[in-house]
Amino acid sequence: MLRRFQKRKARVKHFIDIINNRWDGQLYRNLYAVAFWLNPQFQYDANIMDKLMSIISGLLDVLEKYAHENLPLQSKITSEMKLFRNAKHDFG
C-alpha cells in the first residue's frame, strides 16, 4: 500500500500511523490474536510468530472459553492446531 503513496509519503504518513496504531491496539485482544494466528501469511513466518508469544496466549484463552469443560473438543482443536502449525495433511 505504501508504494502507491511514495510521491506523497509525507501527506499520508499521519493516516498510515493512525491505521498502524489501531491495528497494534487490536492485536492484543484475544479474537484478533486468533485471527492473526490463523492467517497463513503470518503463521508460517517464524520471525513473526516466535516474537509474538502473546498471540498464542490469546489463542489458548479463546480455546478455553469456547470449549470450556468439553475435553474431547479441546483435544480435537489442539490436535488440529498442531496439524495447521506444521502444515500437515489438508493444511500442507
Side-chain angles (χ1 to χ4, degrees), residues 3 6 8-9 15-16 20 27 29 33-34 36 38 40 42 45 50 55-58 63 65-66 68 72 88:
R3 284 184 285 163
Q6 284 299 329
R8 295 176 257 152
K9 201 173 198 176
F15 300 105
I16 299 297
N20 287 336
L27 179 60
R29 295 187 182 189
V34 172
F36 185 89
L38 289 170
F42 304 122
D45 186 337
D50 290 342
I55 299 298
I56 297 191
S57 175
L63 170 64
K65 180 178 180 180
Y66 290 104
H68 184 67
K88 301 284 183 185

Side-chain angles (χ1 to χ4, degrees), residues 34-64:
V34 172
F36 185 89
W37 192 86
L38 289 170
N39 186 329
Q41 179 180 353
F42 304 122
Q43 179 62 235
Y44 303 113
D45 186 337
N47 293 328
I48 292 174
M49 291 309 285
D50 290 342
K51 292 178 184 175
L52 297 173
M53 293 307 292
S54 62
I55 299 298
I56 297 191
S57 175
L59 174 71
L60 294 175
D61 287 346
V62 170
L63 170 64
E64 184 178 313

Side-chain angles (χ1 to χ4, degrees), residues 37-38 43-44 59-60 63 74-92:
W37 192 86
L38 289 170
Q43 179 62 235
Y44 303 113
L59 174 71
L60 294 175
L63 170 64
Q74 286 180 356
S75 177
K76 180 69 174 165
I77 291 172
T78 54
S79 67
E80 293 289 323
M81 286 170 50
K82 289 176 188 172
L83 292 174
F84 179 66
R85 179 72 180 129
N86 296 323
K88 301 284 183 185
H89 300 292
D90 291 340
F91 298 115

